[in-house]
Amino acid sequence: MKKTFYKRLSAAVLALAISCTACGGSGAQTEQTQATETTATSVTEVSATTMRLAKHEGALSVEDGKGAMLEPRENMKVYSGYQMQTEETSFAWIDLDSVKLAKMDETTEVEIQKENKDLELRLKSGGLFFYVAEPLEDDETMKVSTSTIIVGIRGTSGWVETESEEQSSVYILEGTVEIHTEEEAEPILLSGGNKAVVTHGEDANVQISVSAFPAVDIPEYIVEEVEQNEELAGEIFEMSGLDVPNAYAAGEAYQTIRDEYLAALNVGDEGYFNHLEQFPNTDPEAMRLHYMYQENVYHAYYDLDHNGTEELLIGLGQNDHIRLADVFAYDGTSAVRVLDEHVFGERARLTLRQDGTIYLQASGSAATGNVTLWQLDDSGCKAEEIFEYFYDYQMVEQEQYRLIGGTIDDMISEAEFNEIMEEHKEKQDIPWRYLDTDEMIPVQKMDAMSAYEAILADYRNACAVESSTWMSNSESYNMTYGHLGTETLFYHHMGGGSSKLFYAYHDVDGNGTDELFIGSGQNAEDAYVSTMFAFDGQQAVMLADMLFEVLNDGTVLRSGNGGGIEQILQLDENGAAFVEKEGTGIERNSMIFGQKFAEQGGIVSYNWQSLN
């Protein structure tokens, strides 16, 4: 979020800058026309009849087409070849006509080129906001150019930033534009709520990154314009779902939470835990894990309830494995925690779901625990419970999930619970940022093998821990390495590390992508399969941890503690989750687990390789 000295514009100033129809004041010069060849490689497209410097604040330099310096004044006509430059805490409004506005950010340099109805604003440095309230005529164009992109618009609002000679960014608030580069034959369509970052590398290599952006990223000089224009604010909310004025205020409130976390990180563990009262908005468990395992603290913005104002997420972990620790909302005055109490913990996994719900799985032991699902209430500031279940995988019966506050009739099986959770799938692509800089964490697109290598590396790190240390701090290590499954590592360290771990690949569903299996035993010949991972297109996800077997036809059998078969499964069409398999000829709870089934082609034989 860009921090600048905040100055609110009066409604009168806005009217002058964006909708004044009496812009042809006395003393106007005869318009000059200088046909100038366009040489920039990046541009934003509209046309204008009369151009004027409607207003400026702070220091502004104006140079005409012949290089002469001019004294800027309100309502001053500007012509082709003019150049303008703002200094720090300075801004300038260029009125193109009654329905077209450009506003220069501080420390911004712009050159104007105009020929007939073709206008180009060459952005040499800084940022430039544009608002075209009405669609252009067919013969009109307006171009805002940098050194890397060409953006064609017909009536929209947004802004362009140039970070360097090699990189420029375009943000669209409402409407749709076309982005062109010299290297790309086809334009990129960019619609409201999205940004495009174009970077020119070596050997004419160009990288184009398109993604959504939160309202808190909108610079303050643009927020001021939106606040003063209800029509524009409404169009942005309708098109992009961004409540710009409210979301920006929320961003200011969230900054206090981030500052508190930064202060907590700077005082060290003793300074933090001896003065907890000074850090009421931080999560003590997250901070403990940070100090114990040197895990990083991150933040992200995401609009859980789609009301136009993002919530603040706090995360803990490393770049490739970040866990949700806390959620804050904006109540119109300050940032407030949406959950009534701290729920993040070593045996508690908090996750954000794709539908904006918040899910908690808190284990009391290896086989028991509670699961809770919340959604934001009508105020958008507090989480209200949808359900809470107690689960017990030691139960022989199928009904392993009991609704808290319910009756025996409310008990459901694990398969039924998983079917409920299909409507609340986990959100994988949270846009995490570094806590102190607001910079996005680079998203590394992995293939399956790279994702599995990351899992194997984590296993090796987990195995490197002294078993006595692991067992005396098992809850902490289970939280840190929970994505690997707790059972395999627990039994490995419980035996003092005497058993070895192995890994193997096998394509269970025959879709061309292997699954990863972890095995345990004294040697490769007697190793048994203990954990299974699949690739979901972004990362490796654990599907089973102990008490399962895979058959050659792709059937997966999951047993209970009593030894009987409790679930007969197969991978779904995406190859990244289990679904119930029907018509196998295998009867539940009637066969000894581990028996080879001739009609299914037998149990998979793994080519085990040593892991540790």
Side-chain angles (χ1 to χ4, degrees):
M1 179 167 49
K2 185 171 181 180
K3 302 290 291 181
T4 61
F5 182 74
Y6 191 79
K7 299 178 182 176
R8 289 186 177 273
L9 301 179
S10 67
V13 170
L14 182 73
L16 171 66
I18 196 169
S19 61
C20 174
T21 57
C23 290
S26 61
Q29 304 176 35
T30 303
E31 180 175 344
Q32 306 172 23
T33 302
Q34 299 178 2
T36 306
E37 181 181 359
T38 301
T39 58
T41 58
S42 125
V43 200
T44 317
E45 293 184 36
V46 228
S47 133
T49 52
T50 302
M51 301 178 295
R52 299 179 186 276
L53 173 61
K55 181 181 174 63
H56 74 279
E57 290 184 358
L60 173 69
S61 61
V62 179
E63 180 180 324
D64 68 15
K66 297 180 179 179
M69 301 303 298
L70 306 176
E71 184 68 26
R73 63 182 185 279
E74 188 173 296
N75 209 30
M76 171 185 180
K77 276 193 173 184
V78 293
Y79 302 96
S80 184
Y82 275 42
Q83 298 189 55
M84 292 182 283
Q85 184 171 358
T86 56
E87 304 298 332
E88 291 186 2
T89 67
S90 301
F91 308 91
W93 291 258
I94 306 172
D95 187 14
L96 306 172
D97 59 30
S98 61
V99 293
K100 302 178 184 70
L101 168 73
K103 180 181 179 182
M104 297 171 60
D105 192 11
E106 61 178 350
T107 61
T108 293
E109 183 178 1
V110 170
E111 177 184 345
I112 298 172
Q113 292 293 335
K114 182 176 182 292
E115 181 177 7
N116 299 323
K117 292 187 177 183
D118 298 324
L119 173 68
E120 177 185 342
L121 300 178
R122 296 181 180 176
L123 179 61
K124 297 184 175 182
S125 63
L128 187 70
F129 168 66
F130 57 87
Y131 173 39
V132 182
E134 296 180 3
L136 304 180
E137 298 295 335
D138 292 341
D139 60 348
E140 288 186 298
T141 64
M142 168 184 163
K143 301 176 181 179
V144 180
S145 59
T146 74
S147 59
T148 60
I149 50 177
I150 301 172
V151 186
I153 64 173
R154 302 303 304 173
T156 187
S157 63
W159 76 99
V160 181
E161 292 179 352
T162 174
E163 290 82 12
S164 67
E165 286 292 325
E166 294 76 30
Q167 181 171 297
S168 299
S169 303
V170 181
Y171 298 74
I172 301 303
L173 295 168
E174 50 86 24
T176 301
V177 302
E178 289 186 353
I179 299 178
H180 302 260
T181 68
E182 285 188 342
E183 295 81 2
E184 299 294 324
E186 296 296 326
I188 299 169
L189 292 179
L190 191 68
S191 58
N194 292 287
K195 69 175 180 179
V197 180
V198 180
T199 305
H200 282 218
E202 297 179 357
D203 301 325
N205 179 40
V206 60
Q207 294 182 341
I208 303 174
S209 172
V210 176
S211 61
F213 65 89
V216 296
D217 280 357
I218 303 174
E220 194 167 13
Y221 81 101
I222 297 172
V223 174
E224 294 174 347
E225 300 301 318
V226 178
E227 283 183 322
Q228 298 293 334
N229 190 326
E230 292 185 3
E231 181 180 357
L232 176 58
E235 290 172 351
I236 293 172
F237 183 75
E238 181 178 355
M239 175 73 180
S240 308
L242 302 175
D243 183 354
V244 177
N246 195 60
Y248 188 83
E252 294 287 281
Y254 295 152
Q255 184 65 47
T256 64
I257 304 297
R258 291 171 52 195
D259 289 344
E260 191 171 313
Y261 264 102
L262 287 171
L265 293 172
N266 288 330
V267 298
D269 55 350
E270 291 187 6
Y272 175 75
F273 288 106
N274 290 337
H275 300 91
L276 274 175
E277 72 282 355
Q278 297 181 17
F279 309 99
N281 291 304
T282 61
D283 187 287
E285 184 66 7
M287 294 301 298
R288 186 181 73 82
L289 293 174
H290 159 75
Y291 288 120
M292 181 176 293
Y293 303 115
Q294 288 73 54
E295 293 191 293
N296 298 324
V297 181
Y298 302 92
H299 76 289
Y301 301 107
Y302 184 72
D303 187 359
L304 274 68
D305 51 358
H306 305 293
N307 67 348
T309 301
E310 293 94 0
E311 280 67 48
L312 170 67
L313 313 179
I314 299 296
L316 183 77
Q318 300 297 334
N319 289 11
D320 59 347
H321 183 62
I322 301 173
R323 308 186 302 280
L324 179 64
D326 214 341
V327 182
F328 292 85
Y330 179 61
D331 67 1
T333 303
S334 59
V336 295
R337 179 176 285 110
V338 303
L339 298 172
D340 290 331
E341 57 186 15
H342 296 287
V343 297
F344 180 76
E346 295 188 50
R347 298 184 69 91
R349 183 169 183 262
L350 194 66
T351 55
L352 183 65
R353 319 308 283 189
Q354 294 178 12
D355 61 355
T357 53
I358 303 169
Y359 178 66
L360 173 70
Q361 180 174 1
S363 59
S365 68
T368 63
N370 287 59
V371 290
T372 311
L373 188 71
W374 295 276
Q375 65 184 2
L376 291 185
D377 63 12
D378 291 340
S379 73
C381 298
K382 283 296 178 183
E384 58 182 9
E385 185 179 295
I386 298 176
F387 62 68
E388 181 180 9
Y389 280 92
F390 170 78
Y391 66 85
D392 185 356
Y393 291 134
Q394 299 177 101
M395 297 178 63
V396 177
E397 295 82 3
Q398 295 180 28
E399 288 71 29
Q400 298 168 323
Y401 282 73
R402 175 171 57 85
L403 183 67
I404 301 298
T407 67
I408 192 170
D409 295 331
D410 296 313
M411 296 182 68
I412 59 177
S413 68
E414 181 183 13
E416 290 172 317
F417 179 77
N418 290 338
E419 186 175 343
I420 292 174
M421 291 308 297
E422 275 295 306
E423 301 177 6
H424 310 283
K425 291 184 177 180
E426 183 175 352
K427 181 175 176 59
Q428 301 283 0
D429 55 344
I430 296 176
W432 291 112
R433 304 168 177 221
Y434 298 107
L435 185 68
D436 56 342
T437 65
D438 238 341
E439 293 180 9
M440 298 291 292
I441 295 173
V443 178
Q444 297 180 352
K445 294 293 184 181
M446 287 189 176
D447 56 24
M449 287 299 106
S450 297
Y452 294 151
E453 282 297 327
I455 292 294
L456 296 177
D458 286 345
Y459 265 107
R460 293 186 181 100
N461 290 335
C463 290
V465 177
E466 289 289 338
S467 291
S468 58
T469 302
W470 183 287
M471 296 307 296
S472 61
N473 297 278
S474 60
E475 290 192 354
S476 296
Y477 284 112
N478 285 343
M479 187 64 192
T480 302
Y481 294 103
H483 61 294
L484 304 179
T486 58
E487 299 291 331
T488 299
L489 289 169
F490 176 79
Y491 287 113
H492 169 76
H493 284 293
M494 187 174 69
S498 58
S499 65
K500 296 181 180 180
L501 295 185
F502 302 88
Y503 71 95
Y505 299 107
H506 175 69
D507 187 359
V508 174
D509 52 359
N511 69 347
T513 299
D514 286 339
E515 281 68 49
L516 168 67
F517 295 88
I518 303 299
S520 180
Q522 295 300 319
N523 52 61
E525 287 71 28
D526 66 4
Y528 63 89
V529 64
S530 59
T531 313
M532 174 180 174
F533 295 86
F535 182 63
D536 67 359
Q538 293 183 322
Q539 61 183 349
V541 292
M542 186 186 68
L543 297 185
D545 187 24
M546 303 290 283
L547 301 179
F548 74 96
E549 199 69 83
V550 181
L551 307 186
N552 283 320
D553 71 339
T555 302
V556 178
L557 304 178
R558 180 176 281 171
S559 78
N561 289 336
I565 299 169
E566 290 193 350
Q567 286 186 305
I568 304 169
L569 307 169
Q570 65 184 10
L571 290 176
D572 66 7
E573 60 182 9
N574 297 317
F578 283 140
V579 294
E580 290 277 358
K581 184 173 183 178
E582 302 296 337
T584 61
I586 303 174
E587 187 176 346
R588 288 180 186 274
N589 298 316
S590 64
M591 307 186 74
I592 301 301
F593 193 77
Q595 178 179 342
K596 294 186 178 181
F597 302 98
E599 62 270 30
Q600 271 74 37
I603 294 175
V604 168
S605 178
Y606 301 96
N607 181 24
W608 294 117
Q609 302 177 62
S610 178
L611 177 61
N612 61 327

